[in-house]
Amino acid sequence: MDTGYIGVLTLRLEMPWVSNLKEKRALVRPVVERLKVRFPVTVARLDGLDAHDWELIGVTTISNDHEWIEQTLKMASDFVAAGGEYRVVAEQQMINSLSDFMNSDSDREYSGDEVDDGLD
């Protein structure tokens, strides 16, 4: 039985008419911020940060309802595609069961009490 799902959407935005990073950030940053406000998602600028004509953004959400994740990522994708001076040239969506993540390390047993504080 699956306890939940995590959905990830990646979008490659291209704007070949942009000539510098400042101009590109002025186009990309607002859409990233609006996504965070409008939808229950986390958004990150993933790649192309030093390129002036393209960028890869990632959108993720988590829920116990697979269909809700599909709908949320679809609405986020449509929102990005409809609202900017850029072209969405590539899109990838992936939804995985949380049990896949929890069972991915079969050599380690999770007790629920463990916390990795990164101080080791």
Side-chain angles (χ1 to χ4, degrees):
M1 177 177 201
D2 291 324
T3 58
Y5 303 92
I6 185 165
V8 178
L9 170 70
T10 56
L11 300 161
R12 181 181 167 105
L13 309 178
E14 288 189 358
M15 48 225 103
W17 50 89
V18 172
S19 60
N20 61 61
L21 292 175
K22 185 176 180 179
E23 188 179 355
K24 181 186 81 169
R25 278 192 303 272
L27 296 176
V28 175
R29 186 177 296 158
V31 76
V32 168
E33 294 305 317
R34 285 193 308 264
L35 274 170
K36 292 178 194 178
V37 170
R38 187 169 181 131
F39 301 102
V41 297
T42 299
V43 185
R45 297 170 64 205
L46 301 174
D47 198 4
L49 301 177
D50 293 331
H52 70 275
D53 58 349
W54 69 274
E55 187 150 336
L56 185 69
I57 63 171
V59 180
T60 188
T61 192
I62 189 168
S63 174
N64 65 340
D65 186 340
H66 190 279
E67 185 177 325
W68 181 87
I69 290 178
E70 283 184 54
Q71 292 172 354
T72 301
L73 294 180
K74 173 71 170 126
M75 288 187 298
S77 172
D78 292 346
F79 180 78
V80 172
E85 296 180 36
Y86 47 75
R87 289 188 310 244
V88 178
V89 296
E91 175 180 333
Q92 183 176 13
Q93 179 177 311
M94 187 174 28
I95 301 174
N96 288 322
S97 167
L98 287 176
S99 62
D100 292 344
F101 292 103
M102 296 177 77
N103 296 328
S104 66
D105 190 359
S106 60
D107 296 336
R108 181 170 171 225
E109 188 173 315
Y110 176 71
S111 69
D113 297 330
E114 300 172 18
V115 175
D116 183 9
D117 59 9
L119 298 176
D120 295 336

